Amino acid sequence: MKKLLLYSFTCLSLAALLSSCSSKGGNSSSKTGIPYADRKSKNNQSGAFAVATKYKRAPGPGLIPIEGGVLVVGGSAIEVPGVEPNIYNYKRQVTVPSFYMDETEVSNTDWLEYLHWIRYNFPEDREYYYNELPDTLVWRQALSYNEPYVDNYLRHPAYRDYPVVGVSWEQASRYCEWRTSRANEFILREKGILTDYKTLAGNGRGNNNNATAAATPKPTKPFNTDAYLNNQYDDKGKNAPIDYNTQSGAATSTAGGTAAATGGRNNQPRRTATLEDGVIMQPYRLPTEAEWEYAALGLIGNTEYENINQNKIYPWNGLGVSSAKKKTRGMIQANFKRAPGDYMGVGGSLNDKGDLTVPVIQYTPNDFGLYNMAGNVNEWVNDVYRTATFTDADAFNPYRGNYFTNKKLEDSQSGKISLDKYGNPIKENAYAGRKQTWAEKQAQAKRSDSISKSTDPQASVAASTTYQADQRGYRDRQNTLLNEEGVTLVNDKSRVYKGGSWNDMAYWLNPATRRFMQQDESSAEVGFRCAMTMLGAPEISTAGKRSFKNPPQKPYRVSRGK
């Protein structure tokens, strides 16, 4: 059998594709040999396929990477004399995928930025602003003089770096959605994929010397990531991705005016960025309970070759709550209530340096680099509360709380999604647990249209499918828990919070402990931090780690018979 080595060559036409192109360098298809579309290529043809071959993942603003792994949930739980045993924990081995998590709790300044954005973009909508105000009345107590905190804690500069409190689970979730779009918009404008900030700043200021600014329309509605990805936010900056699929003769205007005016490589059609381009971040969200417990425990610092040489009760090493290091020996390592009535220690030697909350960066971070994963404020997590969550949930990435939704379609033919008055997608129950056939999809679209046009309140019931979108009760052996009066204590709006607070004893600093509160309630002892899903390989750093050596890519060898 004679073998012939075929080197990579430029594919000029489909008729010339008689053999495969080399994939060396990752710039051509390993299965068809056709080169991928590239800015540097001089032979890009209409209809060419573009691939993000230089994608490098990175955490979003404020986040740090958490390398996942095996966790025994509830494994660090302890029993304290005089404290009721923690019946909420079931020890079970699970696996938590790698993810990103906020280095600190969300602060008052962070929340004030959110409120400022609302007031600036929707100055007439007082309801929107009011709904996102934290409940500062959580500081009021019948027999305690906390009134100064009601007025000052959120807004006064003295507390600017302190964790925001009085925020419900629902408000925290909406903040995550808002943060996603703001962070993505910033990235896209900084890169010039959207109209850059400098150009936007010139709009409406009479800057006649800036022709680009004069030709660029000012956005009429706030940027939303989902709407942008669905091509419903028409803004293409000078560095927007080149559209290699535009038919010849189509308009090639860019954000700076006509393409002819910009010249050079900008004289090419542009498109919006897509997920395939790798520049859009994943959504910010609340961490799952398993993620939170895994991140708080931080066993990565005590692990070598999969052997954990020292377990933990708290986010730091040791059995106690005070530091054992020489320079800080005896100092309390978290903000909590040391004994009934002792919130801060003796004057002249305050044990935790705080009376109520403390700044979000205080004490020593845990081995993942996270601050205040014990004490200061409890933190909301995403899960719906059940006592037996970890005996029922899957062993990989366990979570209870799935309520599957779709973005509501405004036009089923074009795929345009419906947006509310704030530019956010309107959600509706998912139609099916699998990909529908085209016929099923069209039939569902007709049913949805009939629901939206009908004035009959029973129309939605008649047109609904049999698919159960709400999975919060799946495998649930305890849907509700009633007190002695028969009042429901646990339901599908009961959400978990963890970590202990300034008003809790040391028992609650243990990452395995868990409590719950209704998702529309808030407390002076509960705040939150955000997380983000990490895509791709779970290993964060390969430095100093053993690995198999992958062979270098070689040109394809094509065999030919004699």
Side-chain angles (χ1 to χ4, degrees):
M1 183 76 69
K2 183 180 179 181
K3 295 184 177 180
L4 177 65
L5 180 63
L6 298 179
Y7 292 94
S8 175
F9 62 94
T10 302
C11 302
L12 299 176
S13 65
L14 290 176
L17 294 176
L18 301 178
S19 58
S20 295
C21 297
S22 168
S23 65
K24 190 174 182 179
N27 291 322
S28 62
S29 170
S30 63
K31 299 299 183 288
T32 65
I34 302 174
Y36 298 141
D38 193 302
R39 282 177 178 266
K40 297 180 181 180
S41 176
K42 298 180 180 179
N43 298 298
N44 287 323
Q45 297 182 354
S46 178
F49 177 53
V51 175
T53 57
K54 297 182 179 180
Y55 166 73
K56 293 182 68 176
R57 71 182 181 193
L63 302 172
I64 60 176
I66 307 295
E67 185 168 289
V70 172
L71 168 70
V72 178
V73 286
S76 62
I78 56 173
E79 292 188 11
V80 177
V83 179
E84 182 180 355
N86 191 353
I87 63 172
Y88 308 128
N89 289 289
Y90 292 80
K91 293 178 174 59
R92 181 188 176 194
Q93 182 169 278
V94 300
T95 293
V96 178
S98 297
F99 62 103
Y100 302 109
M101 197 166 190
D102 268 340
E103 182 181 23
T104 69
E105 298 144 337
V106 173
S107 71
N108 286 321
T109 296
D110 298 328
W111 199 267
L112 288 174
E113 179 187 9
Y114 179 33
L115 295 177
H116 168 78
W117 182 91
I118 294 172
R119 185 160 49 188
Y120 178 81
N121 286 276
F122 301 95
E124 305 300 323
D125 195 333
R126 298 188 63 83
E127 180 183 3
Y128 186 12
Y129 185 84
Y130 180 82
N131 287 340
E132 299 313 309
L133 281 173
D135 182 5
T136 60
L137 298 181
V138 293
W139 290 109
R140 280 183 173 167
Q141 299 295 328
L143 298 176
S144 180
Y145 181 59
N146 288 349
E147 205 65 18
Y149 304 113
V150 173
D151 297 328
N152 294 304
Y153 182 81
L154 173 65
R155 300 183 183 278
H156 197 280
Y159 297 105
R160 66 173 183 262
D161 295 325
Y162 285 55
V164 67
V165 298
V167 172
S168 69
W169 180 95
E170 294 173 348
Q171 287 176 307
S173 297
R174 291 195 293 267
Y175 173 87
C176 292
E177 295 175 3
W178 169 84
R179 183 179 174 186
T180 298
S181 290
R182 300 291 69 74
N184 274 322
E185 180 183 16
F186 181 80
I187 290 172
L188 294 173
R189 294 202 187 281
E190 285 289 292
K191 290 179 176 290
I193 296 173
L194 292 177
T195 304
D196 60 86
Y197 286 110
K198 183 178 180 180
T199 302
L200 282 179
N203 289 337
R205 295 188 179 183
N207 187 357
N208 295 326
N209 294 327
N210 193 337
T212 300
T216 305
K218 188 174 183 179
T220 57
K221 58 184 178 182
F223 174 89
N224 178 271
T225 300
D226 289 320
Y228 176 79
L229 288 174
N230 203 51
N231 209 25
Q232 290 178 228
Y233 189 83
D234 189 16
D235 183 350
K236 301 177 184 65
K238 61 183 179 181
N239 294 328
I242 297 172
D243 187 356
Y244 298 104
N245 299 307
T246 301
Q247 299 294 331
S248 59
T252 58
S253 61
T254 60
T258 62
T262 59
R265 287 190 176 271
N266 284 336
N267 191 17
Q268 293 176 298
R270 304 284 172 162
R271 59 173 175 80
T272 58
T274 63
L275 278 179
E276 292 93 325
D277 294 313
V279 295
I280 301 292
M281 291 189 306
Q282 289 294 293
Y284 286 89
R285 56 175 174 78
L286 292 175
T288 67
E289 183 177 359
E291 286 175 337
W292 196 99
E293 184 173 337
Y294 179 88
L297 203 55
L299 288 174
I300 193 170
N302 298 345
T303 303
E304 185 176 8
Y305 301 123
E306 291 197 275
N307 295 314
I308 299 175
N309 53 46
Q310 184 178 354
N311 214 322
K312 293 181 178 179
I313 297 175
Y314 305 110
W316 51 83
N317 286 325
L319 301 178
V321 295
S322 58
S323 173
K325 295 181 179 179
K326 185 176 181 179
K327 290 185 178 181
T328 56
R329 186 168 296 161
M331 293 182 64
I332 301 296
Q333 301 190 82
N335 179 25
F336 67 102
K337 185 169 61 176
R338 189 168 60 170
D342 181 3
Y343 291 87
M344 54 195 283
V346 178
S349 184
L350 303 183
N351 60 51
D352 62 18
K353 315 298 184 186
D355 46 6
L356 299 174
T357 58
V358 297
V360 295
I361 294 183
Q362 191 146 318
Y363 312 111
T364 303
N366 74 355
D367 288 331
F368 278 122
L370 303 172
Y371 288 88
N372 287 312
M373 292 300 287
N376 208 23
V377 290
N378 289 286
E379 298 178 15
W380 286 114
V381 298
N382 223 352
D383 291 57
V384 166
Y385 175 81
R386 295 291 188 272
T387 58
T389 287
F390 294 116
T391 59
D392 296 327
D394 290 345
F396 179 79
N397 209 10
Y399 168 70
R400 183 183 292 282
N402 282 313
Y403 196 123
F404 298 120
T405 59
N406 293 337
K407 301 178 187 71
K408 184 178 181 180
L409 292 178
E410 183 176 307
D411 185 344
S412 58
Q413 293 301 313
S414 67
K416 184 178 181 180
I417 58 177
S418 298
L419 304 176
D420 62 19
K421 62 181 180 179
Y422 306 119
N424 301 318
I426 298 173
K427 303 292 182 66
E428 59 184 357
N429 289 348
Y431 309 138
R434 59 170 177 79
K435 178 184 176 182
Q436 296 176 299
T437 65
W438 181 254
E440 290 172 336
K441 187 175 179 64
Q442 300 312 304
Q444 182 61 52
K446 290 181 180 179
R447 286 196 295 268
S448 298
D449 288 341
S450 66
I451 293 172
S452 60
K453 295 176 182 178
S454 176
T455 58
D456 182 5
Q458 297 299 317
S460 60
V461 178
S464 64
T465 64
T466 57
Y467 176 69
Q468 175 57 265
D470 187 353
Q471 300 290 313
R472 290 175 294 185
Y474 182 66
R475 276 192 208 151
D476 189 2
R477 292 171 292 159
Q478 177 204 308
N479 260 313
T480 59
L481 176 67
L482 305 180
N483 63 12
E484 295 179 356
E485 289 75 29
V487 178
T488 300
L489 297 178
V490 176
N491 55 37
D492 286 344
K493 292 188 177 182
S494 302
R495 299 285 176 170
V496 178
Y497 65 87
K498 298 171 72 73
S501 77
W502 58 271
N503 197 29
D504 287 317
M505 302 291 282
Y507 171 75
W508 295 106
L509 305 185
N510 178 265
T513 57
R514 55 201 300 257
R515 288 173 284 184
F516 68 93
M517 190 164 59
Q518 293 300 96
Q519 65 185 39
D520 59 352
E521 295 179 345
S522 58
S523 166
E525 302 162 22
V526 179
F528 73 102
R529 73 180 74 208
C530 301
M532 180 184 288
T533 299
M534 181 185 294
L535 303 181
E539 191 171 47
I540 293 173
S541 174
T542 59
K545 298 178 182 178
R546 298 176 300 171
S547 62
F548 292 105
K549 189 174 182 179
N550 294 323
Q553 290 182 328
K554 298 179 180 179
Y556 292 103
R557 295 181 181 272
V558 179
S559 300
R560 290 184 177 180
K562 291 183 179 180

